[in-house]
Amino acid sequence: MNEFNLLDCIGKAINTVEIQKLLNITNIDENNLDDTLNSVTTFGINKNVELHFRKAEIIQSYLENENIEIQETFKELISQMHTAPKDMLFLNAMIIRNNSLFESGYYLPTFMEINKTTKAELMDRLGEPYLVNNIFNSVGWRINGNRLAGQFDKENNILRHISIAIF
């Protein structure tokens, strides 16, 4: 059943097969993405998933101003963005609020389930995090250069939602 690694969707242009499948499975209409004229982020939102798109020039500018390690990690993406139209949208981030994407064939490199997986289980599986935020009870890791963060409920440390992003 596992068909699509969600990390492979991050950084893809809106017109790619991966993103079109993701839009289709989440029932988010590309023509109705929520944005404003002044916004640098365009949102596609349903009750279970938020998809955050940014223009190529915004992501490219950010990545080119990062440290050498990040630039090397995203070298191919930066190169792709140099040739893309400046206003081409790329998937920058997603927030997952339930397991429907996982049930539809999407997966992450480490198994996790919303409302079931504990903070301790994820820390065992993913190792030392690069970020621990005690105020929001969230923990973040870098996987293939991307940021993966889990937010947990305060009482039981059970996973409430997952965020995946370039930055």
Side-chain angles (χ1 to χ4, degrees):
M1 179 80 176
N2 292 344
E3 297 180 42
F4 305 103
N5 185 339
L6 286 168
L7 292 182
D8 291 340
C9 296
I10 299 293
K12 297 285 186 187
I14 197 164
N15 62 354
T16 60
V17 170
E18 295 92 342
I19 300 303
Q20 290 300 309
K21 285 181 181 178
L22 187 59
L23 288 168
N24 185 46
I25 207 159
T26 58
N27 293 317
I28 295 173
D29 185 349
E30 176 181 347
N31 299 314
N32 293 328
L33 294 175
D34 183 27
D35 68 346
T36 65
L37 292 175
N38 298 323
S39 178
V40 295
T41 303
T42 300
F43 299 95
I45 301 173
N46 74 20
K47 66 180 181 175
N48 304 319
V49 179
E50 283 182 35
L51 303 177
H52 297 231
F53 294 91
R54 288 197 177 193
K55 292 180 180 178
E57 64 184 341
I58 302 295
I59 297 174
Q60 175 188 339
S61 173
Y62 171 82
L63 292 174
E64 288 176 340
N65 288 312
E66 273 292 323
N67 65 46
I68 296 297
E69 181 182 338
I70 295 294
Q71 289 180 24
E72 281 300 313
T73 299
F74 292 103
K75 187 177 189 175
E76 184 179 318
L77 179 59
I78 293 170
S79 176
Q80 181 184 7
M81 289 182 176
H82 278 294
T83 61
K86 295 289 183 204
D87 62 347
M88 172 67 77
L89 294 174
F90 286 78
L91 183 62
N92 178 63
M94 70 176 72
I95 299 171
I96 304 167
R97 292 192 176 90
N98 77 5
N99 296 312
S100 63
L101 277 179
F102 305 133
E103 293 161 0
S104 299
Y106 286 87
Y107 66 93
L108 290 167
T110 298
F111 178 76
M112 59 187 80
E113 286 184 282
I114 308 269
N115 295 320
K116 290 185 182 177
T117 303
T118 66
K119 186 190 295 186
E121 289 172 329
L122 274 185
M123 296 200 48
D124 274 352
R125 292 177 196 156
L126 295 172
E128 192 65 31
Y130 81 94
L131 171 73
V132 175
N133 184 324
N134 292 322
I135 294 171
F136 295 110
N137 201 21
S138 62
V139 180
W141 295 268
R142 282 230 181 251
I143 300 177
N144 301 337
N146 295 299
R147 295 178 183 179
L148 183 140
Q151 185 170 13
F152 302 86
D153 74 356
K154 293 195 185 279
E155 294 80 37
N156 302 312
N157 282 326
I158 302 291
L159 186 63
R160 302 301 297 175
H161 72 260
I162 302 164
S163 302
I164 309 164
I166 295 174
F167 53 87

